[in-house]
Amino acid sequence: TQLLEQSPQFLSIQEGENLTVYCNSSSVFSSLQWYRQEPGEGPVLLVTVVTGGEVKKLKRLTFQFGDARKDSSLHITAAQPGDTGLYLCAGASNSGYALNFGKGTSLLVTP
Amino acid sequence: EAGVAQSPRYKIIEKRQSVAFWCNPISGHATLYWYQQILGQGPKLLIQFQNNGVVDDSQLPKDRFSAERLKGVDSTLKIQPAKLEDSAVYLCASSLDRLPSNEQFFGPGTRLTVL
């Protein structure tokens, strides 16, 4: 099993602040996905990054895949209370479709 | 397009009892996954089906957990007998199997509490 370490584990910030969460591994992934999970729901895909060094933007969210395809980051600009949730990174190996999930970063944005 | 359906949403049982969860994936999705998510952790893959065949069940505790996917559509996951440490959310997901960016669509999960 390829391990994904996410940091920080918990993050509590005020509305309008910026934040970055990290996803690191010693393994190379063919792709890496970021999901957001709200209480009582299943994870929902935010983005998939495939190419080393790739940067994708989704409104106020910026995702980056490391050059070596072992790590990724998620940066949120001007966080809003609606961004509150559990952010999970998941890596896909070259061998198939299964995903290995990190433990997640629990984000709380207060007004 | 209908999403992944799961039932029940909540289940409370006593240890040593049996329980079963049901999942109906998105129509046309060949691959179906069952995950276990313990509070405070990310989902852990229990078993992966492609159509009605098992692709990966290496992390399924086979002495007490079993799963089947009849006719390559719906799936059931059973625990018999349940232990206290089985308390978790059981998530079902399905995918279209498009590499390298294979998006998985998750159901809402079944929250199991074992007393």
Side-chain angles (χ1 to χ4, degrees):
Chain A
T1 303
Q2 299 159 299
L3 295 178
L4 281 161
E5 300 289 337
Q6 288 191 242
S7 61
Q9 189 175 357
F10 300 100
L11 193 54
S12 180
I13 62 172
Q14 291 193 321
E15 183 175 5
E17 293 185 19
N18 301 331
L19 67 116
T20 302
V21 299
Y22 300 92
C23 176
N24 296 294
S25 175
S26 58
S27 302
V28 176
F29 294 100
S30 61
S31 68
L32 196 139
Q33 299 179 347
W34 284 92
Y35 288 80
R36 190 177 82 172
Q37 185 177 23
E38 298 189 19
E41 301 296 331
V44 176
L45 182 68
L46 295 173
V47 78
T48 301
V49 285
V50 177
T51 305
E54 182 177 5
V55 176
K56 282 192 173 179
K57 292 190 175 183
L58 184 66
K59 296 183 180 179
R60 294 176 294 100
L61 278 61
T62 302
F63 304 84
Q64 185 161 9
F65 202 12
D67 291 341
R69 291 187 289 134
K70 293 182 178 181
D71 54 85
S72 181
S73 64
L74 158 60
H75 181 80
I76 302 179
T77 303
Q80 299 177 359
D83 295 327
T84 293
L86 180 67
Y87 289 82
L88 295 159
C89 68
S93 68
N94 290 321
S95 62
Y97 310 122
L99 293 174
N100 290 305
F101 281 86
K103 290 187 176 182
T105 293
S106 182
L107 173 65
L108 174 63
V109 183
T110 54
Chain B
E1 179 183 82
V4 176
Q6 290 189 248
S7 68
R9 290 296 309 273
Y10 306 92
K11 190 73 177 179
I12 300 174
I13 61 173
E14 294 187 347
K15 60 183 179 183
R16 292 188 289 272
Q17 286 187 324
S18 302
V19 65
F21 313 127
W22 173 82
C23 173
N24 180 240
I26 293 174
S27 177
H29 282 196
T31 299
L32 183 148
Y33 313 79
W34 283 102
Y35 289 90
Q36 180 192 59
Q37 186 174 23
I38 293 173
L39 186 64
Q41 297 187 19
K44 183 185 86 170
L45 180 69
L46 292 175
I47 189 167
Q48 176 186 346
F49 292 95
Q50 187 166 28
N51 296 309
N52 60 353
V54 175
V55 174
D56 184 355
D57 63 355
S58 58
Q59 297 191 85
L60 186 74
K62 298 180 186 63
D63 57 333
R64 298 184 300 107
F65 286 65
S66 64
E68 60 182 6
R69 189 182 185 194
L70 299 176
K71 300 181 181 178
V73 182
D74 293 6
S75 178
T76 56
L77 176 69
K78 296 179 182 178
I79 308 175
Q80 179 180 10
K83 293 185 176 181
L84 295 177
E85 58 262 36
D86 298 332
S87 293
V89 175
Y90 291 84
L91 295 163
C92 178
S94 67
S95 67
L96 271 173
D97 304 345
R98 289 177 179 167
L99 290 176
S101 53
N102 185 40
E103 178 178 1
Q104 294 187 16
F105 295 84
F106 285 82
T110 296
R111 180 176 296 277
L112 174 67
T113 301
V114 183
L115 303 175

